[in-house]
PDB file of all heavy atoms in Angstrom:
ATOM      1  N   THR D  23     -16.763 -20.178   0.112  1.00  0.00           N
ATOM      2  CA  THR D  23     -16.648 -20.179   1.563  1.00  0.00           C
ATOM      3  C   THR D  23     -16.213 -21.536   2.137  1.00  0.00           C
ATOM      4  O   THR D  23     -16.474 -22.578   1.538  1.00  0.00           O
ATOM      5  CB  THR D  23     -18.017 -19.795   2.162  1.00  0.00           C
ATOM      6  OG1 THR D  23     -17.930 -19.751   3.567  1.00  0.00           O
ATOM      7  CG2 THR D  23     -19.095 -20.794   1.776  1.00  0.00           C
ATOM      8  N   PRO D  24     -15.566 -21.541   3.318  1.00  0.00           N
ATOM      9  CA  PRO D  24     -15.315 -22.796   4.034  1.00  0.00           C
ATOM     10  C   PRO D  24     -16.661 -23.452   4.398  1.00  0.00           C
ATOM     11  O   PRO D  24     -17.698 -22.777   4.378  1.00  0.00           O
ATOM     12  CB  PRO D  24     -14.550 -22.345   5.286  1.00  0.00           C
ATOM     13  CG  PRO D  24     -14.016 -20.993   4.963  1.00  0.00           C
ATOM     14  CD  PRO D  24     -15.004 -20.379   4.023  1.00  0.00           C
ATOM     15  N   PRO D  25     -16.687 -24.766   4.739  1.00  0.00           N
ATOM     16  CA  PRO D  25     -15.519 -25.637   4.956  1.00  0.00           C
ATOM     17  C   PRO D  25     -14.904 -26.128   3.644  1.00  0.00           C
ATOM     18  O   PRO D  25     -15.589 -26.231   2.624  1.00  0.00           O
ATOM     19  CB  PRO D  25     -16.122 -26.800   5.747  1.00  0.00           C
ATOM     20  CG  PRO D  25     -17.553 -26.857   5.292  1.00  0.00           C
ATOM     21  CD  PRO D  25     -17.962 -25.438   5.063  1.00  0.00           C
ATOM     22  N   TYR D  26     -13.607 -26.437   3.720  1.00  0.00           N
ATOM     23  CA  TYR D  26     -12.866 -26.950   2.584  1.00  0.00           C
ATOM     24  C   TYR D  26     -12.625 -28.449   2.739  1.00  0.00           C
ATOM     25  O   TYR D  26     -12.785 -29.009   3.819  1.00  0.00           O
ATOM     26  CB  TYR D  26     -11.533 -26.209   2.447  1.00  0.00           C
ATOM     27  CG  TYR D  26     -11.684 -24.707   2.306  1.00  0.00           C
ATOM     28  CD1 TYR D  26     -10.845 -23.834   3.004  1.00  0.00           C
ATOM     29  CD2 TYR D  26     -12.657 -24.152   1.479  1.00  0.00           C
ATOM     30  CE1 TYR D  26     -10.975 -22.459   2.869  1.00  0.00           C
ATOM     31  CE2 TYR D  26     -12.791 -22.783   1.340  1.00  0.00           C
ATOM     32  CZ  TYR D  26     -11.951 -21.937   2.045  1.00  0.00           C
ATOM     33  OH  TYR D  26     -12.083 -20.583   1.907  1.00  0.00           O
ATOM     34  N   LYS D  27     -12.200 -29.079   1.643  1.00  0.00           N
ATOM     35  CA  LYS D  27     -11.988 -30.533   1.637  1.00  0.00           C
ATOM     36  C   LYS D  27     -10.495 -30.866   1.671  1.00  0.00           C
ATOM     37  O   LYS D  27      -9.667 -30.100   1.191  1.00  0.00           O
ATOM     38  CB  LYS D  27     -12.621 -31.149   0.384  1.00  0.00           C
ATOM     39  CG  LYS D  27     -14.145 -31.058   0.338  1.00  0.00           C
ATOM     40  CD  LYS D  27     -14.678 -31.712  -0.931  1.00  0.00           C
ATOM     41  CE  LYS D  27     -16.200 -31.678  -0.967  1.00  0.00           C
ATOM     42  NZ  LYS D  27     -16.810 -32.491   0.091  1.00  0.00           N
ATOM     43  N   ASP D  28     -10.203 -32.049   2.201  1.00  0.00           N
ATOM     44  CA  ASP D  28      -8.815 -32.502   2.250  1.00  0.00           C
ATOM     45  C   ASP D  28      -8.310 -32.946   0.884  1.00  0.00           C
ATOM     46  O   ASP D  28      -7.105 -32.914   0.614  1.00  0.00           O
ATOM     47  CB  ASP D  28      -8.657 -33.669   3.239  1.00  0.00           C
ATOM     48  CG  ASP D  28      -8.834 -33.221   4.683  1.00  0.00           C
ATOM     49  OD1 ASP D  28      -8.508 -32.057   4.975  1.00  0.00           O
ATOM     50  OD2 ASP D  28      -9.305 -34.023   5.500  1.00  0.00           O
ATOM     51  N   GLU D  29      -9.223 -33.391   0.031  1.00  0.00           N
ATOM     52  CA  GLU D  29      -8.834 -33.888  -1.287  1.00  0.00           C
ATOM     53  C   GLU D  29      -9.700 -33.259  -2.368  1.00  0.00           C
ATOM     54  O   GLU D  29     -10.857 -32.886  -2.124  1.00  0.00           O
ATOM     55  CB  GLU D  29      -8.980 -35.412  -1.353  1.00  0.00           C
ATOM     56  CG  GLU D  29      -8.043 -36.173  -0.429  1.00  0.00           C
ATOM     57  CD  GLU D  29      -8.195 -37.668  -0.562  1.00  0.00           C
ATOM     58  OE1 GLU D  29      -9.183 -38.114  -1.185  1.00  0.00           O
ATOM     59  OE2 GLU D  29      -7.322 -38.378  -0.064  1.00  0.00           O
ATOM     60  N   ARG D  30      -9.123 -33.166  -3.550  1.00  0.00           N
ATOM     61  CA  ARG D  30      -9.885 -32.665  -4.695  1.00  0.00           C
ATOM     62  C   ARG D  30     -10.914 -33.707  -5.109  1.00  0.00           C
ATOM     63  O   ARG D  30     -10.598 -34.893  -5.222  1.00  0.00           O
ATOM     64  CB  ARG D  30      -8.932 -32.352  -5.848  1.00  0.00           C
ATOM     65  CG  ARG D  30      -9.653 -31.915  -7.122  1.00  0.00           C
ATOM     66  CD  ARG D  30      -8.715 -31.326  -8.155  1.00  0.00           C
ATOM     67  NE  ARG D  30      -7.536 -32.132  -8.409  1.00  0.00           N
ATOM     68  CZ  ARG D  30      -6.596 -31.818  -9.276  1.00  0.00           C
ATOM     69  NH1 ARG D  30      -6.691 -30.685  -9.961  1.00  0.00           N
ATOM     70  NH2 ARG D  30      -5.563 -32.582  -9.479  1.00  0.00           N
ATOM     71  N   GLY D  31     -12.150 -33.256  -5.368  1.00  0.00           N
ATOM     72  CA  GLY D  31     -13.196 -34.169  -5.786  1.00  0.00           C
ATOM     73  C   GLY D  31     -13.188 -34.421  -7.287  1.00  0.00           C
ATOM     74  O   GLY D  31     -12.288 -33.974  -8.012  1.00  0.00           O
ATOM     75  N   GLU D  32     -14.180 -35.124  -7.762  1.00  0.00           N
ATOM     76  CA  GLU D  32     -14.300 -35.430  -9.178  1.00  0.00           C
ATOM     77  C   GLU D  32     -14.741 -34.189  -9.960  1.00  0.00           C
ATOM     78  O   GLU D  32     -15.412 -33.310  -9.441  1.00  0.00           O
ATOM     79  CB  GLU D  32     -15.312 -36.556  -9.386  1.00  0.00           C
ATOM     80  CG  GLU D  32     -14.913 -37.885  -8.761  1.00  0.00           C
ATOM     81  CD  GLU D  32     -13.671 -38.471  -9.390  1.00  0.00           C
ATOM     82  OE1 GLU D  32     -13.493 -38.301 -10.609  1.00  0.00           O
ATOM     83  OE2 GLU D  32     -12.855 -39.091  -8.666  1.00  0.00           O
ATOM     84  N   GLY D  33     -14.360 -34.137 -11.229  1.00  0.00           N
ATOM     85  CA  GLY D  33     -14.769 -33.049 -12.101  1.00  0.00           C
ATOM     86  C   GLY D  33     -13.873 -31.830 -11.997  1.00  0.00           C
ATOM     87  O   GLY D  33     -12.881 -31.819 -11.262  1.00  0.00           O
ATOM     88  N   GLY D  34     -14.230 -30.785 -12.752  1.00  0.00           N
ATOM     89  CA  GLY D  34     -13.410 -29.575 -12.794  1.00  0.00           C
ATOM     90  C   GLY D  34     -13.870 -28.530 -11.797  1.00  0.00           C
ATOM     91  O   GLY D  34     -14.791 -28.730 -11.012  1.00  0.00           O
ATOM     92  N   GLY D  35     -13.194 -27.394 -11.828  1.00  0.00           N
ATOM     93  CA  GLY D  35     -13.583 -26.263 -11.002  1.00  0.00           C
ATOM     94  C   GLY D  35     -12.989 -26.228  -9.612  1.00  0.00           C
ATOM     95  O   GLY D  35     -13.269 -25.301  -8.844  1.00  0.00           O
ATOM     96  N   TRP D  36     -12.163 -27.204  -9.267  1.00  0.00           N
ATOM     97  CA  TRP D  36     -11.585 -27.228  -7.930  1.00  0.00           C
ATOM     98  C   TRP D  36     -10.387 -26.290  -7.848  1.00  0.00           C
ATOM     99  O   TRP D  36      -9.564 -26.233  -8.755  1.00  0.00           O
ATOM    100  CB  TRP D  36     -11.147 -28.645  -7.555  1.00  0.00           C
ATOM    101  CG  TRP D  36     -12.307 -29.561  -7.318  1.00  0.00           C
ATOM    102  CD1 TRP D  36     -12.917 -30.366  -8.240  1.00  0.00           C
ATOM    103  CD2 TRP D  36     -13.017 -29.735  -6.093  1.00  0.00           C
ATOM    104  NE1 TRP D  36     -13.966 -31.036  -7.659  1.00  0.00           N
ATOM    105  CE2 TRP D  36     -14.051 -30.670  -6.339  1.00  0.00           C
ATOM    106  CE3 TRP D  36     -12.890 -29.200  -4.820  1.00  0.00           C
ATOM    107  CZ2 TRP D  36     -14.939 -31.074  -5.358  1.00  0.00           C
ATOM    108  CZ3 TRP D  36     -13.774 -29.597  -3.834  1.00  0.00           C
ATOM    109  CH2 TRP D  36     -14.788 -30.526  -4.101  1.00  0.00           C
ATOM    110  N   VAL D  37     -10.295 -25.555  -6.750  1.00  0.00           N
ATOM    111  CA  VAL D  37      -9.162 -24.641  -6.538  1.00  0.00           C
ATOM    112  C   VAL D  37      -8.517 -24.936  -5.191  1.00  0.00           C
ATOM    113  O   VAL D  37      -9.159 -25.447  -4.263  1.00  0.00           O
ATOM    114  CB  VAL D  37      -9.592 -23.165  -6.608  1.00  0.00           C
ATOM    115  CG1 VAL D  37     -10.186 -22.825  -7.960  1.00  0.00           C
ATOM    116  CG2 VAL D  37     -10.579 -22.825  -5.501  1.00  0.00           C
ATOM    117  N   GLU D  38      -7.247 -24.591  -5.110  1.00  0.00           N
ATOM    118  CA  GLU D  38      -6.484 -24.806  -3.882  1.00  0.00           C
ATOM    119  C   GLU D  38      -6.810 -23.698  -2.882  1.00  0.00           C
ATOM    120  O   GLU D  38      -6.894 -22.534  -3.250  1.00  0.00           O
ATOM    121  CB  GLU D  38      -4.988 -24.801  -4.206  1.00  0.00           C
ATOM    122  CG  GLU D  38      -4.587 -25.923  -5.160  1.00  0.00           C
ATOM    123  CD  GLU D  38      -3.320 -25.603  -5.947  1.00  0.00           C
ATOM    124  OE1 GLU D  38      -3.395 -24.697  -6.805  1.00  0.00           O
ATOM    125  OE2 GLU D  38      -2.289 -26.256  -5.713  1.00  0.00           O
ATOM    126  N   ALA D  39      -6.946 -24.081  -1.597  1.00  0.00           N
ATOM    127  CA  ALA D  39      -7.349 -23.100  -0.577  1.00  0.00           C
ATOM    128  C   ALA D  39      -6.576 -23.331   0.718  1.00  0.00           C
ATOM    129  O   ALA D  39      -6.347 -24.473   1.121  1.00  0.00           O
ATOM    130  CB  ALA D  39      -8.844 -23.203  -0.310  1.00  0.00           C
ATOM    131  N   ALA D  40      -6.203 -22.232   1.346  1.00  0.00           N
ATOM    132  CA  ALA D  40      -5.553 -22.302   2.658  1.00  0.00           C
ATOM    133  C   ALA D  40      -6.608 -22.474   3.738  1.00  0.00           C
ATOM    134  O   ALA D  40      -7.709 -21.920   3.640  1.00  0.00           O
ATOM    135  CB  ALA D  40      -4.745 -21.036   2.905  1.00  0.00           C
ATOM    136  N   PRO D  41      -6.312 -23.227   4.796  1.00  0.00           N
ATOM    137  CA  PRO D  41      -7.293 -23.452   5.872  1.00  0.00           C
ATOM    138  C   PRO D  41      -7.827 -22.155   6.475  1.00  0.00           C
ATOM    139  O   PRO D  41      -8.986 -22.092   6.906  1.00  0.00           O
ATOM    140  CB  PRO D  41      -6.499 -24.266   6.897  1.00  0.00           C
ATOM    141  CG  PRO D  41      -5.419 -24.940   6.107  1.00  0.00           C
ATOM    142  CD  PRO D  41      -5.069 -23.982   5.009  1.00  0.00           C
ATOM    143  N   SER D  42      -7.011 -21.096   6.490  1.00  0.00           N
ATOM    144  CA  SER D  42      -7.414 -19.843   7.145  1.00  0.00           C
ATOM    145  C   SER D  42      -8.177 -18.893   6.231  1.00  0.00           C
ATOM    146  O   SER D  42      -8.662 -17.858   6.680  1.00  0.00           O
ATOM    147  CB  SER D  42      -6.168 -19.120   7.671  1.00  0.00           C
ATOM    148  OG  SER D  42      -5.306 -18.778   6.584  1.00  0.00           O
ATOM    149  N   PHE D  43      -8.307 -19.220   4.958  1.00  0.00           N
ATOM    150  CA  PHE D  43      -8.873 -18.272   3.994  1.00  0.00           C
ATOM    151  C   PHE D  43     -10.391 -18.221   4.100  1.00  0.00           C
ATOM    152  O   PHE D  43     -11.064 -19.242   4.032  1.00  0.00           O
ATOM    153  CB  PHE D  43      -8.463 -18.651   2.572  1.00  0.00           C
ATOM    154  CG  PHE D  43      -8.743 -17.577   1.559  1.00  0.00           C
ATOM    155  CD1 PHE D  43      -7.841 -16.556   1.350  1.00  0.00           C
ATOM    156  CD2 PHE D  43      -9.920 -17.583   0.829  1.00  0.00           C
ATOM    157  CE1 PHE D  43      -8.089 -15.552   0.426  1.00  0.00           C
ATOM    158  CE2 PHE D  43     -10.188 -16.589  -0.101  1.00  0.00           C
ATOM    159  CZ  PHE D  43      -9.265 -15.576  -0.301  1.00  0.00           C
ATOM    160  N   ASN D  44     -10.930 -17.016   4.234  1.00  0.00           N
ATOM    161  CA  ASN D  44     -12.372 -16.803   4.315  1.00  0.00           C
ATOM    162  C   ASN D  44     -12.746 -15.688   3.341  1.00  0.00           C
ATOM    163  O   ASN D  44     -12.304 -14.543   3.497  1.00  0.00           O
ATOM    164  CB  ASN D  44     -12.771 -16.418   5.743  1.00  0.00           C
ATOM    165  CG  ASN D  44     -14.275 -16.310   5.928  1.00  0.00           C
ATOM    166  OD1 ASN D  44     -15.012 -16.060   4.979  1.00  0.00           O
ATOM    167  ND2 ASN D  44     -14.744 -16.487   7.154  1.00  0.00           N
ATOM    168  N   ASP D  45     -13.548 -16.011   2.341  1.00  0.00           N
ATOM    169  CA  ASP D  45     -13.847 -15.035   1.295  1.00  0.00           C
ATOM    170  C   ASP D  45     -14.559 -13.795   1.820  1.00  0.00           C
ATOM    171  O   ASP D  45     -14.423 -12.703   1.281  1.00  0.00           O
ATOM    172  CB  ASP D  45     -14.626 -15.679   0.144  1.00  0.00           C
ATOM    173  CG  ASP D  45     -15.938 -16.324   0.566  1.00  0.00           C
ATOM    174  OD1 ASP D  45     -16.229 -16.362   1.780  1.00  0.00           O
ATOM    175  OD2 ASP D  45     -16.682 -16.804  -0.324  1.00  0.00           O
ATOM    176  N   GLU D  46     -15.339 -13.910   2.898  1.00  0.00           N
ATOM    177  CA  GLU D  46     -16.057 -12.762   3.450  1.00  0.00           C
ATOM    178  C   GLU D  46     -15.134 -11.695   4.044  1.00  0.00           C
ATOM    179  O   GLU D  46     -15.550 -10.560   4.228  1.00  0.00           O
ATOM    180  CB  GLU D  46     -17.014 -13.220   4.558  1.00  0.00           C
ATOM    181  CG  GLU D  46     -18.230 -13.972   4.067  1.00  0.00           C
ATOM    182  CD  GLU D  46     -19.176 -14.308   5.202  1.00  0.00           C
ATOM    183  OE1 GLU D  46     -18.735 -14.315   6.371  1.00  0.00           O
ATOM    184  OE2 GLU D  46     -20.364 -14.563   4.920  1.00  0.00           O
ATOM    185  N   LEU D  47     -13.907 -12.069   4.346  1.00  0.00           N
ATOM    186  CA  LEU D  47     -13.002 -11.157   5.053  1.00  0.00           C
ATOM    187  C   LEU D  47     -11.950 -10.529   4.136  1.00  0.00           C
ATOM    188  O   LEU D  47     -11.093  -9.779   4.611  1.00  0.00           O
ATOM    189  CB  LEU D  47     -12.305 -11.903   6.201  1.00  0.00           C
ATOM    190  CG  LEU D  47     -13.230 -12.578   7.217  1.00  0.00           C
ATOM    191  CD1 LEU D  47     -12.409 -13.260   8.298  1.00  0.00           C
ATOM    192  CD2 LEU D  47     -14.214 -11.589   7.820  1.00  0.00           C
TER     193      LEU D  47
END
């Protein structure tokens, strides 16, 4: 779920996300 980050953090598991994307919908 949002909020999303402007930059990828440390470690693995990060995925690219669009600002409008909401998993609940």
Side-chain angles (χ1 to χ4, degrees):
T23 182
Y26 303 137
K27 294 181 178 294
D28 290 330
E29 295 182 347
R30 176 168 49 179
E32 296 295 325
W36 289 92
V37 300
E38 298 155 291
S42 62
F43 193 85
N44 185 335
D45 58 355
E46 288 184 339
L47 304 181

